[in-house]
Amino acid sequence: MKRIGILTSGGDAPGMNAAIRSVTRTAIYNGMEVIGFRRGYEGLLEGDVIPLSVSSVGGIVHRGGTILRTARCERFTKPEGVREGLQRLKEYDIDALVVIGGDGSFHGAYELHKLGFPVVGIPGTIDNDIAGTDCTIGFDTACNTALQCIEKLRDTASSHERLFLVEVMGRNAGFLALEAAVAAGAEYAMVPEVPFDLDLLCKKLRYAKERGKSHSLIIVAEGVMPASELQSLLKDTGGYDARITVLGHIQRGGSPSSFDAVLASRLGAGAIDALIRGEFGTMVGRINGEIVASPIQVSWEQKKKLDTGMMELVEILGI
Ligand code: F6P
């Protein structure tokens, strides 16, 4: 294995740069050359490449976003696109490809693997919705960003004795919403994995008011419904006048937390180790503290389970 390619794909996540640095430096340490494809699979198809060196990945371990840029590439979801990508990889004399991204990006990598091309995936997404790893790169930072925002909202919610609905990202998963709800001491969390009961929620809010609570915070995962829809439901059902905040893309930015920078550094090195060991068609993850390579399709074939005990915790602590 002499020359490897690397790309970031899908939604960016804090820690992707730390992963790029780790892949690049570990590969060079092991005598390989590294080529970066910019804008994910889009850049692979268009030949948008930059050589990566020890110094070109210097000073990025703490930076949010991705120096390689990223994109969601429709063309690469089609067999012709994948075949074209394979052709480009051959033209650039690439022996293996490291893909940093979520399960959509891993689907593309799996298609290349099925055509016989060596690939390894590194899970990077704030959604944490990938099996085969306890945590994805960016999740911890996004939780901390959401927490900081919710703490600020609590100040104003408390001063005005208001009910706030905070919509957080996560696509179809509730990991980010649940983690943020527990950390922020929210009264209620709504996640796609658990059906929600509007009557129960209204009862809780009434009880909170009777107890003299100065404010209430409800964290709603975007996969359940937009906060604006919940706002209308609460108005119609219980006469509540709630304020809403959609945290949105702010959750994807910022410097990685120490947890994410370390995770990204370990997974980057783990990806090169997997390639050296010939463990192709895999994704590297951290399970119980160990770096483990699993078949890449595990990331979507196995559904990562949300800890519903945490839902109960929100329930108990938010009385
Ligand atoms: O997958 C990461 C994520 O931020 C999701 O939480 C969110 O639903 C989606 O990407 C937003 O995508 P876009 O940046 O394309 O609007």
Side-chain angles (χ1 to χ4, degrees):
M1 194 136 307
K2 292 206 177 68
R3 199 167 147 92
I4 64 155
I6 176 171
L7 57 83
T8 49
S9 161
D12 60 352
M16 279 186 164
N17 280 326
I20 294 169
R21 169 180 177 268
S22 175
V23 167
T24 303
R25 290 196 172 167
T26 310
I28 292 171
Y29 180 84
N30 283 284
M32 303 171 194
E33 269 178 61
V34 186
I35 300 293
F37 292 98
R38 303 198 326 151
R39 298 177 294 115
Y41 293 114
E42 204 67 58
L44 168 61
L45 294 175
E46 287 170 16
D48 188 356
V49 295
I50 46 165
L52 295 175
S53 63
V54 170
S55 55
S56 70
V57 296
I60 64 166
V61 68
H62 63 290
R63 277 172 55 189
T66 158
I67 58 160
L68 289 177
R69 310 213 179 144
T70 184
R72 303 189 200 277
C73 179
E74 184 58 32
R75 272 193 292 168
F76 213 76
T77 61
K78 311 265 172 4
E80 316 80 73
V82 178
R83 277 197 297 273
E84 207 181 318
L86 182 64
Q87 193 53 40
R88 291 281 168 283
L89 287 163
K90 286 184 177 156
E91 280 165 25
Y92 284 103
D93 222 4
I94 306 285
D95 299 313
L97 182 67
V98 176
V99 173
I100 306 173
D103 69 336
S105 315
F106 285 0
H107 271 90
Y110 183 56
E111 292 307 315
L112 283 171
H113 167 69
K114 286 200 293 187
L115 294 177
F117 193 81
V119 293
V120 171
I122 299 179
T125 163
I126 64 162
D127 302 338
N128 198 29
D129 57 347
I130 293 188
T133 187
D134 292 339
C135 261
T136 54
I137 295 170
F139 173 64
D140 181 68
T141 310
C143 288
N144 284 304
T145 302
L147 177 61
Q148 283 167 14
C149 296
I150 297 166
E151 278 168 357
K152 289 184 167 68
L153 288 171
R154 189 199 279 108
D155 290 344
T156 174
S158 177
S159 307
H160 286 265
E161 302 183 324
R162 274 175 174 160
L163 164 62
F164 263 84
L165 315 179
V166 187
E167 181 185 315
V168 302
M169 279 188 166
R171 205 178 284 278
N172 301 314
F175 296 97
L176 188 47
L178 188 51
E179 196 86 1
V182 174
E187 273 63 37
Y188 203 84
M190 288 169 57
V191 296
E193 293 85 346
V194 180
F196 108 97
D197 180 341
L198 184 61
D199 289 336
L200 181 71
L201 173 57
C202 288
K203 217 161 113 191
K204 274 202 85 173
L205 291 174
R206 266 199 307 278
Y207 178 64
K209 212 166 179 84
E210 280 160 23
R211 272 205 326 107
K213 270 200 171 186
S214 59
H215 63 267
S216 287
L217 292 169
I218 299 178
I219 312 300
V220 52
E222 64 174 352
V224 178
M225 66 176 73
S228 54
E229 201 177 314
L230 180 62
Q231 184 184 36
S232 309
L233 277 177
L234 286 170
K235 192 160 190 76
D236 298 345
T237 318
Y240 290 99
D241 179 25
R243 296 290 191 278
I244 57 172
T245 299
V246 179
L247 296 186
H249 288 81
I250 200 157
Q251 295 159 102
R252 290 230 298 253
S255 297
S257 62
S258 126
F259 181 90
D260 275 329
V262 172
L263 178 68
S265 302
R266 290 188 70 193
L267 293 183
I272 297 302
D273 290 346
L275 285 177
I276 291 171
R277 288 196 300 267
E279 293 171 352
F280 307 142
T282 58
M283 60 159 274
V284 284
R286 200 200 70 155
I287 301 176
N288 295 330
E290 301 291 323
I291 304 302
V292 179
S294 317
I296 200 162
Q297 61 276 31
V298 158
S299 60
W300 66 87
E301 282 179 1
Q302 282 178 21
K303 195 167 160 48
K304 189 179 208 167
K305 279 184 87 174
L306 189 80
D307 181 353
T308 43
M310 291 258 286
M311 281 299 275
E312 216 177 303
L313 194 59
V314 177
E315 190 75 33
I316 295 168
L317 302 183
I319 51 173

